[in-house]
Amino acid sequence: IKLLELPRESLIEDLKKVVIDSIVRYKYFKMLEWQDYTHSFALHAMFMLRELKAEETLETVLDLLRQKEKFLNYWVGDLMTEYMWMIIYEIGKNQLDALRDFILEEGNFTYARVPISEAVCSIGQNFPERRNEVIDWYYIVFNLFIEQKDNDKLLDTTLIGLMVGDVLDLKATELEETIVKLY
């Protein structure tokens, strides 16, 4: 809690550097024996950014999520599907365009994209006044998937299935016709 009392701007900059360090020095840390006290810093930094509601750090967190599967498994592991959506939700809730762009980037790891959809779904659930905005977000994403049906670098059936599950959680019946086309 004392850390959160530090000056916000410099604390956020330092936390961004911690996240970036996990990318830059990945090979160094891979050579060390895994220890919670030496290898949990990136995740802790992102949780602090969430707590600070540091929306200006979204691109830094997305840069971490752009890394390869082995990297993400090393730093985040199973916590990717458990907790990452909470971080994205808090720092990305006012940046749906950036979240859409990320989910539509070719080559991003499936389970780095899943928390994006989970966060967007939660925005629609927790902010009823934004429900239509969230439904439009899914409509655009799904239609781009339909248009790019032959693009194996973009399409991912696991991701699509999980996103449809999020839409069902949102009870977005408005997307039924689009989902039928998607399948």
Side-chain angles (χ1 to χ4, degrees), residues 64-79:
L64 181 129
L65 294 177
R66 285 183 177 97
Q67 305 307 306
K68 299 293 180 203
E69 179 179 356
K70 284 184 179 183
F71 173 96
L72 292 167
N73 285 334
Y74 182 79
W75 285 118
V76 186
D78 292 341
L79 300 178

Side-chain angles (χ1 to χ4, degrees), residues 25-33 39 70 74-75:
R25 295 195 309 146
Y26 170 59
K27 289 180 182 176
Y28 167 77
F29 283 99
K30 283 278 294 177
M31 292 186 305
L32 301 176
E33 182 181 342
H39 288 76
K70 284 184 179 183
Y74 182 79
W75 285 118

Side-chain angles (χ1 to χ4, degrees), residues 119-144:
V120 171
C121 174
S122 294
I123 292 164
Q125 291 171 322
N126 294 321
F127 297 96
E129 69 278 9
R130 295 186 67 190
R131 186 175 186 282
N132 288 338
E133 178 186 6
V134 166
I135 290 170
D136 288 345
W137 186 91
Y138 279 105
Y139 180 80
I140 291 167
V141 170
F142 287 162
N143 276 292
L144 283 167

Side-chain angles (χ1 to χ4, degrees), residues 13 21 36 42 89 92 108 113 138 148 151 153 170:
E13 284 306 310
D21 190 48
D36 280 339
Y89 171 83
N108 285 338
R113 294 161 78 191
Y138 279 105
Q148 296 285 318
N151 185 346
K153 293 178 182 173
L170 187 59

